[in-house]
C-alpha cells in the first residue's frame, strides 16, 4: 500500500511524517529552475536592444511649440506581452498629428488699427487727414496720411490726434481736429458754416446755379455758404435771371425767380420792287405831266 504524501516509510513498514522544508524544497528548486531559464532567455533577447529602445523614445519626444493629441487606452487593453523564446517585435512610434502654435505674441490693444467715418454737409467735400494738431489754417505741403471724398472711410490709422482739412467747390476751405483711440471706428460729421435757402421760380423747373455749381431744379431748398451769394436761374426758352441773396446761419432765406419770356421783335418786310408794266406806266405819266403813282406805304 502506498504512503500518503508527506510521509516516508521507515524500516519495519511504518511511515514517518516529513518536515515542512522537506515537503516544499523540491517544488522551490523546480520553480527556481524555470524562472532562471526564462530570465536568461529574456536578458539574451531584450537587453542588447535597450539602447535602441532609448533612441526610439528620444526621437518620438514632442518638439517645443507643438501639442500632441494622445488617445487614452481602454482599461484592460495593452500591448501584447511577448512570449518567452519569441523573436523581439519591432517597436514603432505612435503616429501623432502636430498642431502648429503661432509663435508671434498677441497684438496689444495700442497696436490695433482705428478708422474714421467721415460725412459732411453738404455732401461731396474732399478731405485730407494729417497727423497731430496743425495750427495753420491752410493744409500742409507734406503728403497727407489719407485722402478721400465724403461720405467715406479712412482706415488703418493709429490712436492719437489728427487734423482734417475739408474742401468743396464754391465753399471756403475748413478744418477740424479729432482724437482717435486705438481700435476705435469714430464717426465724424462735419458741417460747413452755411444757411438754408428755399428757391422757387415761375414757372417751375428752372436750374439754379451758384457760380458754376448747379444746386438743382426749382422748387428746392439748398445749403449755401453764409454771406452774400449770387444765384442764376436758367430755363429753356427763357432768358437767364440773376439775383443776390443774403444767407444767414441762424435764419432760413427764400428767393423767387420770375422767368419772363423773350420779346418777339417784328421784322419789317422789304418793299417789293415795281413791276415792268408799272415802271412803263409811270414813265408815260411823267411825260404827260401826271404825277407818278406814289410807292406803297410801310405798315407800322
Amino acid at each position: 500500500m502506498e504512503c500518503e504524501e508527506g510521509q516516508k516509510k521507515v524500516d519495519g513498514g511504518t511511515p514517518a511524517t516529513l518536515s515542512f522544508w522537506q515537503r516544499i524544497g523540491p517544488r522551490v528548486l523546480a520553480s527556481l529552475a524555470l524562472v532562471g531559464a526564462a530570465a536568461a532567455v529574456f536578458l539574451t533577447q531584450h537587453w542588447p536592444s535597450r539602447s535602441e529602445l532609448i533612441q526610439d523614445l528620444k526621437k518620438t519626444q514632442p518638439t517645443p511649440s507643438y501639442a500632441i493629441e494622445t488617445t487614452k487606452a481602454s482599461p484592460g487593453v495593452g500591448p501584447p506581452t511577448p512570449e518567452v523564446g519569441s523573436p523581439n517585435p519591432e517597436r514603432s512610434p505612435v503616429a501623432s498629428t502636430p498642431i502648429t502654435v503661432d509663435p508671434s505674441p498677441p497684438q496689444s490693444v495700442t497696436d490695433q488699427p482705428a478708422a474714421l467715418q467721415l460725412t459732411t454737409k453738404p455732401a461731396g467735400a474732399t478731405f485730407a487727414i494729417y497727423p497731430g494738431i496743425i495750427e495753420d489754417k491752410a493744409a500742409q505741403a507734406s503728403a497727407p496720411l489719407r485722402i478721400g471724398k465724403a461720405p467715406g472711410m479712412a482706415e488703418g490709422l493709429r490712436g492719437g490726434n489728427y487734423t482734417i482739412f475739408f474742401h468743396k467747390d464754391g465753399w471756403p476751405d475748413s478744418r477740424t481736429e479729432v482724437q482717435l483711440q486705438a481700435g476705435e471706428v469714430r464717426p465724424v460729421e462735419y458741417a460747413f458754416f452755411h444757411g438754408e435757402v428755399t428757391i422757387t421760380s415761375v414757372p417751375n423747373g428752372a436750374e439754379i446755379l451758384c457760380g458754376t455749381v448747379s444746386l438743382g431744379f426749382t422748387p428746392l431748398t439748398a445749403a449755401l455758404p453764409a454771406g452774400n451769394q449770387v444765384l442764376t436761374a436758367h430755363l429753356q426758352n427763357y432768358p437767364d435771371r440773376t439775383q443776390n441773396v443774403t444767407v444767414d446761419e441762424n435764419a432760413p432765406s427764400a428767393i423767387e425767380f420770375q422767368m419772363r419770356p423773350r420779346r418777339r421783335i417784328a421784322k419789317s418786310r422789304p418793299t417789293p420792287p415795281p413791276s415792268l408794266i408799272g415802271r412803263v406806266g409811270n414813265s408815260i405819266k411823267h411825260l404827260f405831266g401826271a404825277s407818278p403813282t406814289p410807292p406803297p406805304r410801310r405798315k407800322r
Side-chain angles (χ1 to χ4, degrees), residues 99-122:
I99 302 175
T100 305
V101 179
D102 188 3
S104 60
Q107 192 176 23
S108 61
V109 177
T110 57
D111 294 335
Q112 293 181 359
L116 291 172
Q117 186 176 5
L118 299 168
T119 55
T120 59
K121 186 176 182 180

Side-chain angles (χ1 to χ4, degrees), residues 207-271:
E207 183 181 12
I208 307 300
L209 303 175
C210 181
T212 59
V213 179
S214 176
L215 303 180
F217 297 87
T218 57
L220 61 90
T221 300
L224 296 175
N228 294 325
Q229 303 296 333
V230 179
L231 302 181
T232 302
H234 174 76
L235 185 62
Q236 189 176 7
N237 299 326
Y238 289 83
D240 292 347
R241 305 286 294 176
T242 300
Q243 293 191 47
N244 295 332
V245 60
T246 301
V247 182
D248 189 356
E249 297 180 33
N250 301 320
S253 304
I255 187 172
E256 183 181 62
F257 287 91
Q258 293 289 337
M259 308 301 293
R260 298 176 182 177
R262 292 185 175 91
R263 293 181 179 179
R264 295 183 178 181
I265 300 175
K267 295 182 179 180
S268 60
R269 296 180 180 180
T271 302

